[in-house]
Amino acid sequence: MPDKVYNALFICTGNSARSVLAEGLLNGLGKGRFKAYSAGSHPKGEVHPMALATLEKLGMPATGYRSKSWDEFTQSGAPVFDFIFTVCDNAAGEVCPIWPGKPTSAHWGVPDPAAVEGSDEAKAKAFQDAAVTLKRRIDLLLSLPLERLDAMSLQRELRGIGKA
């Protein structure tokens, strides 16, 4: 099914930095093959301005994001996900909701750029580093022959990407 659009959800605790970066990168790089979303187990309520600046610097859409709870995606009418990715270690250790459709999941942990202290340059570098790591993983995801992989092979590939 080459015309299938895959839905992916990136989860972090606060949904203000890493998960938003991943959402923007996959939507931009996926060229319509993917529709990415992001959410948090305990959302901060606002997107970190450096996450948006980093997306803009990378030529990705930098508007329309908001920090939201993963509960939003358990409601009737929410998208059914093909993939769920945790991008922070805290979220990976939490008990996640039961997602309809049995999506393939993987942990793609990235250090929290919002936790970096110091100069604006140091903070910007942390956001850039997180985005580069996520972009490399998303590029690997996009190179997979998704329609030809069985569920176990796909799970193994996605988990391997998270260690890349």
Side-chain angles (χ1 to χ4, degrees), residues 4-71:
K4 176 175 175 43
V5 175
Y6 296 94
N7 288 327
L9 177 63
F10 291 95
I11 297 174
C12 204
T13 308
N15 188 219
S16 69
R18 292 167 284 186
S19 52
V20 171
L21 287 170
E23 174 187 4
L25 286 164
L26 183 55
N27 279 332
L29 298 169
K31 297 183 177 20
R33 281 184 58 214
F34 284 84
K35 176 64 179 139
Y37 302 84
S38 67
S41 56
H42 300 92
K44 292 201 185 298
E46 64 184 18
V47 175
H48 197 292
M50 285 192 169
L52 301 176
T54 302
L55 286 170
E56 189 169 28
K57 184 177 174 184
L58 294 171
M60 299 293 138
T63 59
Y65 301 97
R66 61 187 177 84
S67 177
K68 60 205 157 299
S69 172
W70 61 17
D71 293 337

